[in-house]
Amino acid sequence: NLRPSGDTINTNVGAGFDSFFTSRFLAIGDISGDIGNEPNGQSSGGLSRASFGLGSLSAGSYSFVVGFDYVVDTNSTAGNPDQSPYDFLVRFETVPGSGALASVLDLSATNIIRNLSPRQAGFSTTVAFTLGSASNVYLSFSLQEFNDGSSSAAGIDNLRISGNRVPEPGSLALAGLAMVGLATLRRRRC
C-alpha cells in the first residue's frame, strides 16, 4: 500500500502521521484514507503484514544492520490506554507469520496512544540469527489491531538492510593456522 507524502493519513494531525513522511511511504493497516478505515480494530480486529524476501540463505550465522523510518498511530483518544493494545512488530522470519528468527523492533508491550511516543522515529539496529539449514528469509512488518472500538496504522520509509554471514569459529581457527603456516614458511626461506 504505497502512498504519496500528501496522502490523507500522512497530513492529518489528529489521527495520522503528522506529515512525518516527505516522500512515498508504505502504509500498513488501513487500506486508504485516514486512520479508521478497513482493516481495523473497530469491529473484528485484524492483522496487516508487509514482508520483504531476502532470498535463500545457507545454514550458518548471520548479522544484519536494519534501518527504517516509522510511524505508528491510532485514532484512540489520549487518556484511554486500555483502548489501544496494538502490536507493531518487525522481525526476521523464514515464513511470513511463522514466528521470529530474530526480533528487530517490538512495540507490543507499549500502548500506542494518539500523538504520544513512541510513535515516530528513525530506527537502526544490528540483529544476529542462526539458520540450521538453508532457508528463505524475510523481513516482516506486522500490525495487529484488536477489537476495541478504535483503529491504528503504521507507515515505513527509507528501509535499509545490509548483512553478511558470520564466519564460524572453526573457519576462523583454520584461517589462523594457515597464517601461522605462511609465517613459518617465510621465516625458513629468509
Side-chain angles (χ1 to χ4, degrees), residues 17 92 132 141:
F17 299 160
F92 284 101
F141 295 78

Side-chain angles (χ1 to χ4, degrees), residues 11 40 70 99 164 169 172:
T11 58
N40 64 47
Y70 75 93
N164 58 2
L172 290 174

Side-chain angles (χ1 to χ4, degrees), residues 122-190:
F123 180 81
S124 182
T125 191
T126 300
V127 178
F129 59 85
T130 300
L131 293 172
S133 61
S135 300
N136 287 320
V137 175
Y138 299 85
L139 179 64
S140 293
F141 295 78
S142 63
L143 177 69
Q144 176 70 57
E145 298 180 279
F146 300 95
N147 183 12
D148 68 352
S150 60
S151 185
S152 65
I156 60 170
D157 193 15
N158 298 321
L159 177 60
R160 303 164 306 280
I161 304 172
S162 63
N164 58 2
R165 187 170 178 177
V166 177
E168 296 177 22
S171 299
L172 290 174
L174 187 59
L177 284 173
M179 299 277 277
V180 169
L182 288 173
T184 303
L185 183 61
R186 185 172 181 174
R187 280 189 179 167
R188 285 185 183 170
R189 288 187 177 174
C190 293

Side-chain angles (χ1 to χ4, degrees), residues 8-19 34 73 114-115 119:
T8 304
I9 201 167
N10 191 42
T11 58
N12 189 325
V13 175
F17 299 160
D18 305 342
S19 300
D34 200 357
D73 206 352
R114 180 172 40 183
N115 291 332
R119 59 179 226 71

